[in-house]
Amino acid sequence: MIDFLIIGGGIAGLSAGARLSEHGSVTVLEAEDALGYHASGRSAALFEEGYGPPSVVALNKASAEFFFSNDYLTPRGLMLLAKSDQADQFRKDLGELGMAEISVPDALARVPVLNPETVAYAALSEGAYDIDTDRVLQDFARTIRANAGSVLTRQKVTRIRKDGHWLVEAAEAFQARTIVNAAGAWADEVARMAGIAPLGITPRRRSMARLPAPWGHDVKNWPMMLGAGETWYAKPDAGKLLVSPSEADPVEPHDAYADDMVLAEGLARYEEMVTSPVTRVETNWAGLRSFAPDGTLVLGPDPSDESFVWSAGQGGYGFQTAPAASRLVADLALGRAPELDAAMVSALSVSRLR
Ligand SMILES: Cc1cc2nc3c(=O)[nH]c(=O)nc-3n(C[C@H](O)[C@H](O)[C@H](O)COP(=O)(O)OP(=O)(O)OC[C@H]3O[C@@H](n4cnc5c(N)ncnc54)[C@H](O)[C@@H]3O)c2cc1C
C-alpha cells in the first residue's frame, strides 16, 4: 500500500512528492514518456517575487531561500516597456511589480534594439532571475528516488475507485492511502475520475516563438522585456530571443501548440517596440497555464474527502511557487501546522472555491 500516490509528473507533482517522500512511501505516475512534458517543460523559467496575486507573491517570497540556497537562479532582470498611450497601464504595472522607472536612454543602454520612437516609458527590476527548471525537476525526482519512492512514466491514470483506500488503474494497478492530484490541465478530469467535484480549473494557452538574436547582438545579459499590461514579452534564451504574445486563451486540456495568428499578432506588438524586424521564427510552441476561477493555486485536502489532496491551478507561477507550495501541500497532507500565514493558507485552500 502506497502512502502518497501522486498523479502528474510536472513540477507540482515532483515537488510535492519530494517533500512527502521524507515522511511516507511515494509513487508518482506520469502519463507521458518523459517528466515535465507538458506545462513544466514549456515555461519561460522566470522567478520574479512580485509577479502574481497576493497569495502567489507570498509563495514566491517563501520559495526564494530554497532557490538561492540550491543555486537554481541566475540574475536576469525585468524591463517594463510602454508606448505613449499606455501611461495608466504602465503606472499600474509599475506599482504591482514594485519596479523603478528608468529613462528611455537608460533602457536603450541595456537593450540597444529598443525603438526610441515608440518606447515612451520604461522601468526596471533587478529582482528577476532565470530558474534552472530542468535541474529543479530532476533534483525533486532524485529526492523521491533517494527516499525509496518511485517515479513512473507511461502510467496514464484511467480509473480511480475507493474501497476503504484508493484503487488506481494506469498501465499497472496501484493502491494508496492518499492521492495527490497534480495533473495540471487535467486536474478536474482526475478529480471527476475519483468522484470528487471539479473546481473549474481552466487551461489557458500561451504561445512562444524562438527568434535569432536581433541584429546578431549578444543578448545574454539583456533583461526580460514585458509589454505594459502583459501584452507580449521577450526573453533571452541560449543566445536567442523567446517572444510570447502573452495570450491566455481558454482551451480544453490537450498537447498544446502555438496558434499562428495569435503568434503573428504578438510578434507584431513586440516588433513595434524594437528597430529590428522579425525576419525568421526558428521554432514555436505553446503550453497550458491552468487557473482556478480566482486565479490562484489550490493546495490541500478536499473537504469532501481529506485523502484526496489538490496541488493544482499553478497558472503562470508553477515554478517560482513550487518550493513553498509543495511545503504547504506536504504540511496539510501530513496534518502538520503550515509554515505559511493562516490567511494565505485559506486563500489557497480548496474550501474557498466550494
Ligand atoms: C509559456 C509558458 C510560460 C511560463 N512561464 C513561467 C515562468 O516564467 N515562471 C513560472 O513559475 N511558471 C511559468 N509558467 C507556468 C508553469 O510552467 C506551470 O505553472 C507549471 O509547469 C505547472 O506545473 P504542473 O506540474 O501543475 O503541470 P504540468 O507540467 O502540465 O504537469 C501535469 C502532468 O500531469 C500529467 N497527467 C495529466 N493527467 C494524467 C493522468 N490521468 N495520469 C497520469 N498523468 C497525468 C500530465 O501528462 C502532465 O505531465 C509558464 C507556463 C507556460 C505555458
Side-chain angles (χ1 to χ4, degrees):
M1 173 83 66
I2 298 159
D3 291 323
F4 302 102
L5 186 74
I6 298 180
I7 303 177
I11 183 60
L14 293 170
S15 56
R19 303 287 195 189
L20 288 165
S21 66
E22 286 161 18
H23 303 276
S25 57
V26 163
T27 295
V28 177
L29 302 183
E30 167 53 47
E32 305 289 351
D33 291 354
L35 302 174
Y37 175 82
H38 288 287
S40 300
R42 308 176 191 203
S43 91
L46 192 80
F47 179 88
E48 163 58 63
E49 212 171 82
Y51 179 57
S55 54
V56 167
V57 172
L59 290 171
N60 297 340
K61 286 187 196 299
S63 295
E65 162 64 18
F66 176 89
F67 282 128
F68 280 116
S69 62
N70 289 290
D71 216 12
Y72 289 123
L73 303 182
T74 312
R76 169 58 58 205
L78 179 67
M79 187 181 279
L80 178 67
L81 297 166
K83 297 186 289 183
S84 56
D85 61 355
Q86 292 180 307
D88 291 348
Q89 184 67 54
F90 176 76
R91 300 276 160 231
K92 184 167 174 280
D93 293 353
L94 195 74
E96 281 174 10
L97 289 164
M99 299 175 83
E101 185 166 3
I102 59 170
S103 69
V104 173
D106 282 351
L108 257 105
R110 284 292 288 267
V111 183
V113 298
L114 291 177
N115 187 344
E117 287 174 17
T118 48
V119 175
Y121 305 99
L124 190 67
S125 154
E126 297 291 2
Y129 299 82
D130 287 348
I131 309 172
D132 188 343
T133 52
D134 190 49
R135 194 159 68 83
V136 172
L137 276 181
Q138 296 308 330
D139 284 354
F140 280 132
R142 226 187 316 272
T143 301
I144 296 171
R145 294 190 189 105
N147 289 327
S150 303
V151 180
L152 307 175
T153 52
R154 299 188 197 188
Q155 293 280 352
K156 182 177 166 64
V157 173
T158 50
R159 190 161 182 232
I160 305 175
R161 286 177 297 132
K162 194 163 190 195
D163 184 5
H165 54 268
W166 293 105
L167 305 162
V168 174
E169 290 176 26
E172 296 159 60
F174 300 88
Q175 299 189 21
R177 292 191 177 85
T178 298
I179 284 180
V180 177
N181 178 9
W186 292 266
D188 272 353
E189 194 177 297
V190 164
R192 271 191 215 97
M193 258 191 256
I196 302 283
L199 295 175
I201 304 285
T202 305
R204 295 180 176 274
R205 188 197 56 235
R206 179 152 289 189
S207 305
M208 199 87 99
R210 179 178 280 126
L211 313 181
W215 304 128
H217 276 282
D218 178 1
V219 299
K220 192 168 71 233
N221 296 321
W222 288 8
M224 175 159 160
M225 290 163 269
L226 179 67
E230 204 176 336
T231 43
W232 61 271
Y233 67 77
K235 185 172 186 275
D237 181 60
K240 313 282 178 176
L241 202 61
L242 303 181
V243 179
S244 172
S246 285
E247 85 273 35
D249 298 339
V251 292
E252 290 298 312
H254 68 295
D255 191 355
Y257 49 90
D259 180 297
D260 287 345
M261 186 56 79
V262 168
L263 205 56
E265 288 168 2
L267 286 171
R269 290 193 290 276
Y270 152 77
E271 211 172 11
E272 205 183 342
M273 305 299 266
V274 293
T275 52
S276 51
V278 176
T279 50
R280 191 158 55 92
V281 172
E282 292 187 347
T283 178
N284 67 60
W285 68 90
L288 303 180
R289 300 152 79 242
S290 299
F291 292 89
D294 62 0
T296 194
L297 288 76
V298 192
L299 306 174
D302 195 284
S304 72
D305 185 337
E306 300 259 312
S307 68
F308 187 91
V309 176
W310 293 78
S311 181
Q314 276 76 4
Y317 327 105
F319 269 101
Q320 59 180 18
T321 55
S326 58
R327 166 62 72 97
L328 179 58
V329 167
D331 285 344
L332 296 171
L334 293 163
R336 294 189 309 209
E339 281 193 359
L340 211 63
D341 171 71
M344 290 303 152
V345 175
S346 160
L348 296 161
S349 68
V350 179
S351 49
R352 80 185 200 265
L353 297 168
R354 293 289 190 213

